[in-house]
PDB file of all heavy atoms in Angstrom:
ATOM      1  N   ARG A 198     261.141 138.877 130.020  1.00 90.00           N
ATOM      2  CA  ARG A 198     259.630 139.114 130.028  1.00 90.00           C
ATOM      3  C   ARG A 198     259.315 140.356 129.302  1.00 90.00           C
ATOM      4  O   ARG A 198     259.845 141.323 129.585  1.00 90.00           O
ATOM      5  CB  ARG A 198     259.239 139.267 131.603  1.00 90.00           C
ATOM      6  CG  ARG A 198     257.731 139.442 131.669  1.00 90.00           C
ATOM      7  CD  ARG A 198     257.384 139.673 133.224  1.00 90.00           C
ATOM      8  NE  ARG A 198     257.537 138.518 133.891  1.00 90.00           N
ATOM      9  CZ  ARG A 198     258.300 138.329 134.966  1.00 90.00           C
ATOM     10  NH1 ARG A 198     259.043 139.347 135.357  1.00 90.00           N
ATOM     11  NH2 ARG A 198     258.354 137.263 135.605  1.00 90.00           N
ATOM     12  N   VAL A 199     258.378 140.267 128.316  1.00 91.00           N
ATOM     13  CA  VAL A 199     258.016 141.331 127.575  1.00 91.00           C
ATOM     14  C   VAL A 199     256.452 141.579 127.761  1.00 91.00           C
ATOM     15  O   VAL A 199     255.776 140.616 127.505  1.00 91.00           O
ATOM     16  CB  VAL A 199     258.333 141.127 126.056  1.00 91.00           C
ATOM     17  CG1 VAL A 199     257.992 142.376 125.260  1.00 91.00           C
ATOM     18  CG2 VAL A 199     259.806 140.815 125.905  1.00 91.00           C
ATOM     19  N   VAL A 200     256.115 142.721 128.175  1.00 91.00           N
ATOM     20  CA  VAL A 200     254.656 142.972 128.326  1.00 91.00           C
ATOM     21  C   VAL A 200     254.185 144.252 127.672  1.00 91.00           C
ATOM     22  O   VAL A 200     255.017 145.147 127.479  1.00 91.00           O
ATOM     23  CB  VAL A 200     254.394 143.147 129.908  1.00 91.00           C
ATOM     24  CG1 VAL A 200     254.715 141.910 130.722  1.00 91.00           C
ATOM     25  CG2 VAL A 200     255.163 144.245 130.609  1.00 91.00           C
ATOM     26  N   ASN A 201     252.990 144.240 127.248  1.00 88.00           N
ATOM     27  CA  ASN A 201     252.438 145.445 126.698  1.00 88.00           C
ATOM     28  C   ASN A 201     251.216 145.879 127.469  1.00 88.00           C
ATOM     29  O   ASN A 201     250.462 146.731 126.971  1.00 88.00           O
ATOM     30  CB  ASN A 201     252.183 145.222 125.194  1.00 88.00           C
ATOM     31  CG  ASN A 201     251.390 144.008 124.785  1.00 88.00           C
ATOM     32  OD1 ASN A 201     250.634 143.546 125.663  1.00 88.00           O
ATOM     33  ND2 ASN A 201     251.599 143.475 123.619  1.00 88.00           N
ATOM     34  N   ASP A 202     251.046 145.408 128.553  1.00 88.00           N
ATOM     35  CA  ASP A 202     249.883 145.777 129.460  1.00 88.00           C
ATOM     36  C   ASP A 202     250.444 146.275 130.706  1.00 88.00           C
ATOM     37  O   ASP A 202     251.137 145.642 131.475  1.00 88.00           O
ATOM     38  CB  ASP A 202     249.004 144.497 129.823  1.00 88.00           C
ATOM     39  CG  ASP A 202     247.811 144.789 130.691  1.00 88.00           C
ATOM     40  OD1 ASP A 202     247.788 145.855 131.290  1.00 88.00           O
ATOM     41  OD2 ASP A 202     247.005 143.913 130.918  1.00 88.00           O
ATOM     42  N   PRO A 203     250.217 147.654 131.089  1.00 86.00           N
ATOM     43  CA  PRO A 203     250.794 148.298 132.194  1.00 86.00           C
ATOM     44  C   PRO A 203     250.432 147.623 133.557  1.00 86.00           C
ATOM     45  O   PRO A 203     251.182 147.776 134.468  1.00 86.00           O
ATOM     46  CB  PRO A 203     250.465 149.702 132.123  1.00 86.00           C
ATOM     47  CG  PRO A 203     249.317 149.787 131.255  1.00 86.00           C
ATOM     48  CD  PRO A 203     249.419 148.546 130.211  1.00 86.00           C
ATOM     49  N   THR A 204     249.362 146.803 133.533  1.00 88.00           N
ATOM     50  CA  THR A 204     248.928 146.274 134.783  1.00 88.00           C
ATOM     51  C   THR A 204     249.784 144.936 135.043  1.00 88.00           C
ATOM     52  O   THR A 204     249.702 144.376 136.070  1.00 88.00           O
ATOM     53  CB  THR A 204     247.411 145.939 134.818  1.00 88.00           C
ATOM     54  OG1 THR A 204     247.202 144.873 133.815  1.00 88.00           O
ATOM     55  CG2 THR A 204     246.693 147.143 134.563  1.00 88.00           C
ATOM     56  N   LYS A 205     250.556 144.520 134.022  1.00 89.00           N
ATOM     57  CA  LYS A 205     251.337 143.301 134.210  1.00 89.00           C
ATOM     58  C   LYS A 205     252.798 143.514 134.265  1.00 89.00           C
ATOM     59  O   LYS A 205     253.610 142.600 134.301  1.00 89.00           O
ATOM     60  CB  LYS A 205     251.145 142.399 132.922  1.00 89.00           C
ATOM     61  CG  LYS A 205     249.757 142.158 132.618  1.00 89.00           C
ATOM     62  CD  LYS A 205     249.179 140.905 133.307  1.00 89.00           C
ATOM     63  CE  LYS A 205     247.834 140.460 132.720  1.00 89.00           C
ATOM     64  NZ  LYS A 205     246.724 140.944 133.481  1.00 89.00           N
ATOM     65  N   ILE A 206     253.266 144.755 134.639  1.00 87.00           N
ATOM     66  CA  ILE A 206     254.689 145.141 134.793  1.00 87.00           C
ATOM     67  C   ILE A 206     255.154 144.566 135.998  1.00 87.00           C
ATOM     68  O   ILE A 206     254.640 144.702 137.060  1.00 87.00           O
ATOM     69  CB  ILE A 206     254.884 146.635 134.785  1.00 87.00           C
ATOM     70  CG1 ILE A 206     254.537 147.204 133.393  1.00 87.00           C
ATOM     71  CG2 ILE A 206     256.282 146.980 135.132  1.00 87.00           C
ATOM     72  CD1 ILE A 206     254.664 148.716 133.254  1.00 87.00           C
ATOM     73  N   VAL A 207     256.288 143.801 135.890  1.00 86.00           N
ATOM     74  CA  VAL A 207     257.085 143.212 137.018  1.00 86.00           C
ATOM     75  C   VAL A 207     258.525 143.653 136.762  1.00 86.00           C
ATOM     76  O   VAL A 207     258.924 143.463 135.570  1.00 86.00           O
ATOM     77  CB  VAL A 207     256.969 141.671 137.041  1.00 86.00           C
ATOM     78  CG1 VAL A 207     257.748 141.052 138.188  1.00 86.00           C
ATOM     79  CG2 VAL A 207     255.450 141.258 137.273  1.00 86.00           C
ATOM     80  N   PRO A 208     259.263 144.103 137.711  1.00 84.00           N
ATOM     81  CA  PRO A 208     260.616 144.475 137.528  1.00 84.00           C
ATOM     82  C   PRO A 208     261.470 143.496 136.729  1.00 84.00           C
ATOM     83  O   PRO A 208     261.219 142.304 136.797  1.00 84.00           O
ATOM     84  CB  PRO A 208     261.180 144.724 138.895  1.00 84.00           C
ATOM     85  CG  PRO A 208     259.982 145.151 139.746  1.00 84.00           C
ATOM     86  CD  PRO A 208     258.823 144.323 139.107  1.00 84.00           C
ATOM     87  N   ASN A 209     262.414 144.015 135.997  1.00 83.00           N
ATOM     88  CA  ASN A 209     263.321 143.242 135.185  1.00 83.00           C
ATOM     89  C   ASN A 209     262.520 142.732 133.970  1.00 83.00           C
ATOM     90  O   ASN A 209     262.483 141.537 133.660  1.00 83.00           O
ATOM     91  CB  ASN A 209     264.067 142.192 135.758  1.00 83.00           C
ATOM     92  CG  ASN A 209     265.091 142.769 136.843  1.00 83.00           C
ATOM     93  OD1 ASN A 209     265.496 143.835 136.724  1.00 83.00           O
ATOM     94  ND2 ASN A 209     265.435 141.971 137.851  1.00 83.00           N
ATOM     95  N   CYS A 210     261.845 143.739 133.254  1.00 86.00           N
ATOM     96  CA  CYS A 210     261.008 143.322 132.113  1.00 86.00           C
ATOM     97  C   CYS A 210     261.261 144.423 131.071  1.00 86.00           C
ATOM     98  O   CYS A 210     261.665 145.469 131.323  1.00 86.00           O
ATOM     99  CB  CYS A 210     259.591 143.074 132.419  1.00 86.00           C
ATOM    100  SG  CYS A 210     258.630 144.493 132.829  1.00 86.00           S
ATOM    101  N   VAL A 211     260.642 144.136 129.861  1.00 87.00           N
ATOM    102  CA  VAL A 211     260.573 145.085 128.760  1.00 87.00           C
ATOM    103  C   VAL A 211     259.078 145.449 128.683  1.00 87.00           C
ATOM    104  O   VAL A 211     258.274 144.522 128.524  1.00 87.00           O
ATOM    105  CB  VAL A 211     261.100 144.503 127.531  1.00 87.00           C
ATOM    106  CG1 VAL A 211     261.049 145.603 126.330  1.00 87.00           C
ATOM    107  CG2 VAL A 211     262.602 144.027 127.671  1.00 87.00           C
ATOM    108  N   PHE A 212     258.789 146.648 128.584  1.00 89.00           N
ATOM    109  CA  PHE A 212     257.464 147.168 128.578  1.00 89.00           C
ATOM    110  C   PHE A 212     257.198 147.886 127.235  1.00 89.00           C
ATOM    111  O   PHE A 212     257.849 148.938 126.981  1.00 89.00           O
ATOM    112  CB  PHE A 212     257.103 148.059 129.803  1.00 89.00           C
ATOM    113  CG  PHE A 212     255.753 148.831 129.741  1.00 89.00           C
ATOM    114  CD1 PHE A 212     254.602 148.069 129.328  1.00 89.00           C
ATOM    115  CD2 PHE A 212     255.602 150.133 129.911  1.00 89.00           C
ATOM    116  CE1 PHE A 212     253.338 148.760 129.343  1.00 89.00           C
ATOM    117  CE2 PHE A 212     254.469 150.776 129.757  1.00 89.00           C
ATOM    118  CZ  PHE A 212     253.209 150.158 129.560  1.00 89.00           C
ATOM    119  N   LEU A 213     256.417 147.426 126.499  1.00 90.00           N
ATOM    120  CA  LEU A 213     256.070 148.093 125.217  1.00 90.00           C
ATOM    121  C   LEU A 213     254.934 148.971 125.366  1.00 90.00           C
ATOM    122  O   LEU A 213     253.737 148.689 125.768  1.00 90.00           O
ATOM    123  CB  LEU A 213     255.677 147.076 124.080  1.00 90.00           C
ATOM    124  CG  LEU A 213     256.619 145.924 123.820  1.00 90.00           C
ATOM    125  CD1 LEU A 213     256.164 144.978 122.745  1.00 90.00           C
ATOM    126  CD2 LEU A 213     258.011 146.433 123.384  1.00 90.00           C
ATOM    127  N   GLN A 214     255.091 150.415 125.073  1.00 89.00           N
ATOM    128  CA  GLN A 214     254.061 151.289 125.267  1.00 89.00           C
ATOM    129  C   GLN A 214     253.286 151.369 123.918  1.00 89.00           C
ATOM    130  O   GLN A 214     253.588 150.694 122.949  1.00 89.00           O
ATOM    131  CB  GLN A 214     254.750 152.688 125.560  1.00 89.00           C
ATOM    132  CG  GLN A 214     255.377 152.649 126.912  1.00 89.00           C
ATOM    133  CD  GLN A 214     255.862 154.016 127.256  1.00 89.00           C
ATOM    134  OE1 GLN A 214     256.723 154.511 126.593  1.00 89.00           O
ATOM    135  NE2 GLN A 214     255.305 154.541 128.417  1.00 89.00           N
ATOM    136  N   ALA A 215     252.231 152.122 123.963  1.00 89.00           N
ATOM    137  CA  ALA A 215     251.323 152.257 122.762  1.00 89.00           C
ATOM    138  C   ALA A 215     252.119 152.861 121.616  1.00 89.00           C
ATOM    139  O   ALA A 215     252.970 153.753 121.783  1.00 89.00           O
ATOM    140  CB  ALA A 215     250.150 153.207 123.075  1.00 89.00           C
ATOM    141  N   PRO A 216     251.947 152.199 120.424  1.00 89.00           N
ATOM    142  CA  PRO A 216     252.759 152.757 119.244  1.00 89.00           C
ATOM    143  C   PRO A 216     252.182 153.980 118.606  1.00 89.00           C
ATOM    144  O   PRO A 216     251.043 154.271 118.836  1.00 89.00           O
ATOM    145  CB  PRO A 216     252.641 151.518 118.326  1.00 89.00           C
ATOM    146  CG  PRO A 216     251.364 150.936 118.589  1.00 89.00           C
ATOM    147  CD  PRO A 216     251.116 151.202 120.138  1.00 89.00           C
ATOM    148  N   SER A 217     253.081 154.687 117.974  1.00 90.00           N
ATOM    149  CA  SER A 217     252.670 155.769 117.096  1.00 90.00           C
ATOM    150  C   SER A 217     252.788 155.185 115.636  1.00 90.00           C
ATOM    151  O   SER A 217     253.606 154.235 115.466  1.00 90.00           O
ATOM    152  CB  SER A 217     253.343 157.004 117.310  1.00 90.00           C
ATOM    153  OG  SER A 217     254.845 156.756 117.055  1.00 90.00           O
ATOM    154  N   PHE A 218     252.081 155.648 114.641  1.00 88.00           N
ATOM    155  CA  PHE A 218     252.178 155.135 113.348  1.00 88.00           C
ATOM    156  C   PHE A 218     251.986 156.236 112.332  1.00 88.00           C
ATOM    157  O   PHE A 218     251.204 157.248 112.535  1.00 88.00           O
ATOM    158  CB  PHE A 218     251.259 153.921 113.081  1.00 88.00           C
ATOM    159  CG  PHE A 218     249.803 154.248 113.474  1.00 88.00           C
ATOM    160  CD1 PHE A 218     248.944 154.717 112.528  1.00 88.00           C
ATOM    161  CD2 PHE A 218     249.318 154.018 114.726  1.00 88.00           C
ATOM    162  CE1 PHE A 218     247.612 155.052 112.825  1.00 88.00           C
ATOM    163  CE2 PHE A 218     247.980 154.314 115.065  1.00 88.00           C
ATOM    164  CZ  PHE A 218     247.083 154.787 114.144  1.00 88.00           C
ATOM    165  N   THR A 219     252.555 155.938 111.146  1.00 89.00           N
ATOM    166  CA  THR A 219     252.506 156.931 110.065  1.00 89.00           C
ATOM    167  C   THR A 219     252.323 156.161 108.762  1.00 89.00           C
ATOM    168  O   THR A 219     253.009 155.205 108.592  1.00 89.00           O
ATOM    169  CB  THR A 219     253.800 157.813 109.968  1.00 89.00           C
ATOM    170  OG1 THR A 219     254.055 158.410 111.157  1.00 89.00           O
ATOM    171  CG2 THR A 219     253.734 158.828 108.781  1.00 89.00           C
ATOM    172  N   THR A 220     251.360 156.569 107.917  1.00 87.00           N
ATOM    173  CA  THR A 220     251.219 155.937 106.647  1.00 87.00           C
ATOM    174  C   THR A 220     252.245 156.552 105.747  1.00 87.00           C
ATOM    175  O   THR A 220     252.211 157.734 105.617  1.00 87.00           O
ATOM    176  CB  THR A 220     249.882 156.094 106.093  1.00 87.00           C
ATOM    177  OG1 THR A 220     248.925 155.481 106.990  1.00 87.00           O
ATOM    178  CG2 THR A 220     249.707 155.403 104.758  1.00 87.00           C
ATOM    179  N   THR A 221     253.048 155.702 105.145  1.00 78.00           N
ATOM    180  CA  THR A 221     254.251 156.256 104.363  1.00 78.00           C
ATOM    181  C   THR A 221     253.937 156.215 102.745  1.00 78.00           C
ATOM    182  O   THR A 221     254.423 156.999 102.083  1.00 78.00           O
ATOM    183  CB  THR A 221     255.543 155.624 104.642  1.00 78.00           C
ATOM    184  OG1 THR A 221     255.442 154.228 104.458  1.00 78.00           O
ATOM    185  CG2 THR A 221     255.942 155.907 106.107  1.00 78.00           C
ATOM    186  N   ALA A 222     253.264 155.085 102.370  1.00 76.00           N
ATOM    187  CA  ALA A 222     253.075 154.963 100.928  1.00 76.00           C
ATOM    188  C   ALA A 222     252.107 153.826 100.766  1.00 76.00           C
ATOM    189  O   ALA A 222     251.473 153.414 101.730  1.00 76.00           O
ATOM    190  CB  ALA A 222     254.347 154.660 100.279  1.00 76.00           C
ATOM    191  N   GLY A 223     251.861 153.427  99.465  1.00 75.00           N
ATOM    192  CA  GLY A 223     251.107 152.326  99.130  1.00 75.00           C
ATOM    193  C   GLY A 223     249.624 152.536  99.343  1.00 75.00           C
ATOM    194  O   GLY A 223     248.950 151.539  99.701  1.00 75.00           O
ATOM    195  N   ASN A 224     249.191 153.693  99.270  1.00 80.00           N
ATOM    196  CA  ASN A 224     247.732 154.048  99.364  1.00 80.00           C
ATOM    197  C   ASN A 224     247.206 153.508 100.810  1.00 80.00           C
ATOM    198  O   ASN A 224     246.076 153.046 100.970  1.00 80.00           O
ATOM    199  CB  ASN A 224     246.864 153.205  98.342  1.00 80.00           C
ATOM    200  CG  ASN A 224     245.745 154.169  97.875  1.00 80.00           C
ATOM    201  OD1 ASN A 224     245.740 155.300  98.030  1.00 80.00           O
ATOM    202  ND2 ASN A 224     244.914 153.556  97.082  1.00 80.00           N
ATOM    203  N   GLY A 225     248.036 153.780 101.808  1.00 75.00           N
ATOM    204  CA  GLY A 225     247.824 153.433 103.244  1.00 75.00           C
ATOM    205  C   GLY A 225     248.058 152.026 103.527  1.00 75.00           C
ATOM    206  O   GLY A 225     247.878 151.521 104.751  1.00 75.00           O
ATOM    207  N   ASN A 226     248.698 151.265 102.713  1.00 76.00           N
ATOM    208  CA  ASN A 226     249.149 149.878 102.973  1.00 76.00           C
ATOM    209  C   ASN A 226     250.557 149.695 103.571  1.00 76.00           C
ATOM    210  O   ASN A 226     250.862 148.532 103.949  1.00 76.00           O
ATOM    211  CB  ASN A 226     249.045 148.987 101.686  1.00 76.00           C
ATOM    212  CG  ASN A 226     247.576 148.910 101.264  1.00 76.00           C
ATOM    213  OD1 ASN A 226     246.714 148.855 101.993  1.00 76.00           O
ATOM    214  ND2 ASN A 226     247.320 149.081  99.930  1.00 76.00           N
ATOM    215  N   ILE A 227     251.266 150.753 103.521  1.00 83.00           N
ATOM    216  CA  ILE A 227     252.642 150.707 104.124  1.00 83.00           C
ATOM    217  C   ILE A 227     252.604 151.720 105.294  1.00 83.00           C
ATOM    218  O   ILE A 227     252.464 152.867 105.051  1.00 83.00           O
ATOM    219  CB  ILE A 227     253.695 151.058 103.040  1.00 83.00           C
ATOM    220  CG1 ILE A 227     253.751 150.117 101.939  1.00 83.00           C
ATOM    221  CG2 ILE A 227     255.150 151.093 103.715  1.00 83.00           C
ATOM    222  CD1 ILE A 227     254.575 150.421 100.804  1.00 83.00           C
ATOM    223  N   VAL A 228     252.910 151.114 106.492  1.00 83.00           N
ATOM    224  CA  VAL A 228     252.762 151.898 107.688  1.00 83.00           C
ATOM    225  C   VAL A 228     254.162 151.785 108.455  1.00 83.00           C
ATOM    226  O   VAL A 228     254.682 150.710 108.577  1.00 83.00           O
ATOM    227  CB  VAL A 228     251.650 151.380 108.572  1.00 83.00           C
ATOM    228  CG1 VAL A 228     251.550 152.108 109.930  1.00 83.00           C
ATOM    229  CG2 VAL A 228     250.370 151.545 107.821  1.00 83.00           C
ATOM    230  N   ARG A 229     254.591 152.885 108.970  1.00 84.00           N
ATOM    231  CA  ARG A 229     255.754 152.854 109.807  1.00 84.00           C
ATOM    232  C   ARG A 229     255.151 152.910 111.277  1.00 84.00           C
ATOM    233  O   ARG A 229     254.405 153.801 111.647  1.00 84.00           O
ATOM    234  CB  ARG A 229     256.599 154.122 109.607  1.00 84.00           C
ATOM    235  CG  ARG A 229     257.722 154.201 110.678  1.00 84.00           C
ATOM    236  CD  ARG A 229     258.468 155.530 110.520  1.00 84.00           C
ATOM    237  NE  ARG A 229     259.268 155.661 111.733  1.00 84.00           N
ATOM    238  CZ  ARG A 229     260.552 156.019 111.756  1.00 84.00           C
ATOM    239  NH1 ARG A 229     261.128 156.180 110.580  1.00 84.00           N
ATOM    240  NH2 ARG A 229     261.195 156.070 112.782  1.00 84.00           N
TER     241      ARG A 229
END
Side-chain angles (χ1 to χ4, degrees):
R198 175 184 292 120
V199 181
V200 297
N201 50 29
D202 179 350
T204 65
K205 306 273 191 264
I206 292 176
V207 177
N209 293 336
C210 73
V211 177
F212 172 49
L213 304 179
Q214 294 183 298
S217 60
F218 53 91
T219 306
T220 302
T221 57
N224 223 13
N226 295 320
I227 299 174
V228 177
R229 174 191 165 127

